[in-house]
């Protein structure tokens, strides 16, 4: 009987410890306000929109449309990335052009792309980079590094789409070609 009371007391103490940790986490969320309902957050491998902040847990709607409950005690011990509070949305990509593309035409393409980005109302021009950065296995790679001044994902996607269509237009207008992985087979008849 004494052993049973001891185990019951231990279980109660452990449950009370978790409850106290979650309550403390709730208080810290309300004081520090690392996020609020509606914010897009990332905590470890959980990413989604905060739907509810409770006394024990925070409910996050993931992009798979599932609802995940995060114990508030984790918020006090883990790093929370509040993606909804970003000032800019970054795009870092490589544009691969074929080795057959003329260097002068590539330079013209790069200048026209820079001009488009500088004049675009949703691109932060002070952080813009358009540079030939690598001679890859099958392409001449141009780094495109831009920051969009948009407040949500839908506007970000719209701005990226607009930029991608402009890239395709400039590639065509300058008579250069986008590269894709290729291999050439060289058959040497002299070693037969």
């Amino acid at each position: 009987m004494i052993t049973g009371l001891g185990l019951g007391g231990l279980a109660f103490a452990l449950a009370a410890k978790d409850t106290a940790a979650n309550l403390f986490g709730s208080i810290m969320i309300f004081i520090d306000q690392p996020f609020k309902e509606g914010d897009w957050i990332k905590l470890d491998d959980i990413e989604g929109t905060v739907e509810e902040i409770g006394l024990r847990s925070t409910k996050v709607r993931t992009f798979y449309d599932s609802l995940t409950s995060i114990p508030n005690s984790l918020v006090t011990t883990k790093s929370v990335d509040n993606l909804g509070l970003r000032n800019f949305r970054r795009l870092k990509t490589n544009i691969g052009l074929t080795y057959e593309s003329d260097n002068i035409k590539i330079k013209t393409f790069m200048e026209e792309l820079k001009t488009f980005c500088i004049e675009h109302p949703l691109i932060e021009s002070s952080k813009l980079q358009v540079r030939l950065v690598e001679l890859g296995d099958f392409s001449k790679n141009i780094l495109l590094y831009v920051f969009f001044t948009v407040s949500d994902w839908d506007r970000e996607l719209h701005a990226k789409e607009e930029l991608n269509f402009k890239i395709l237009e400039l590639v065509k207008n300058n008579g250069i070609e986008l590269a894709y992985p290729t291999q050439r087979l060289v058959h040497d008849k002299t070693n037969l």
Side-chain angles (χ1 to χ4, degrees):
M1 186 170 156
I2 292 173
T3 305
L5 288 174
L7 289 174
L10 179 63
F12 179 76
L14 289 175
K17 177 184 172 249
D18 287 344
T19 301
N22 287 325
L23 184 59
F24 177 72
S26 300
I27 293 168
M28 295 312 298
I29 290 171
F30 289 116
I31 291 173
D32 288 346
Q33 296 182 339
F35 53 82
K36 62 184 183 314
E37 289 180 6
D39 282 353
W40 170 12
I41 66 166
K42 184 173 184 180
L43 177 79
D44 287 340
D45 60 345
I46 300 168
E47 182 176 355
T49 304
V50 177
E51 283 199 356
E52 181 185 334
I53 303 169
L55 290 176
R56 191 189 78 71
S57 65
T58 297
K59 291 182 175 51
V60 175
R61 177 74 59 187
T62 69
F63 297 116
Y64 299 107
D65 200 34
S66 62
L67 191 64
T68 303
S69 292
I70 303 170
N72 287 337
S73 59
L74 283 180
V75 176
T76 61
T77 59
K78 301 279 184 174
S79 176
V80 178
D81 190 358
N82 191 333
L83 300 165
L85 295 179
R86 294 178 288 173
N87 294 322
F88 304 104
R89 309 284 177 113
R90 182 182 76 139
L91 171 66
K92 179 183 177 186
T93 190
N94 280 321
I95 303 168
L97 301 175
T98 62
Y99 272 101
E100 290 76 24
S101 298
D102 181 71
N103 288 341
I104 294 171
K105 290 179 179 181
I106 290 175
K107 286 180 183 180
T108 303
F109 164 78
M110 291 171 57
E111 287 304 316
E112 290 175 358
L113 183 56
K114 280 182 196 175
T115 301
F116 173 79
C117 291
I118 289 169
E119 294 173 355
H120 196 285
L122 298 178
I123 295 177
E124 175 59 40
S125 60
S126 67
K127 299 174 186 253
L128 172 67
Q129 293 293 330
V130 180
R131 303 278 184 201
L132 178 63
V133 293
E134 181 183 35
L135 301 176
D137 292 338
F138 55 87
S139 63
K140 300 174 185 179
N141 295 323
I142 297 171
L143 169 69
L144 175 60
Y145 191 72
V146 298
F147 287 83
F148 297 103
T149 56
V150 294
S151 58
D152 60 50
W153 192 49
D154 187 56
R155 289 184 182 133
E156 177 184 357
L157 290 177
H158 179 74
K160 285 180 179 179
E161 179 182 62
E162 197 173 66
L163 179 58
N164 284 328
F165 276 123
K166 187 62 176 181
I167 290 168
L168 293 172
E169 177 187 318
L170 292 174
V171 163
K172 183 179 179 184
N173 291 347
N174 282 290
I176 54 180
E177 293 181 18
L178 293 173
Y180 52 90
T182 57
Q183 289 183 342
R184 285 190 180 166
L185 181 62
V186 178
H187 183 71
D188 186 2
K189 292 181 181 181
T190 60
N191 290 331
L192 293 176

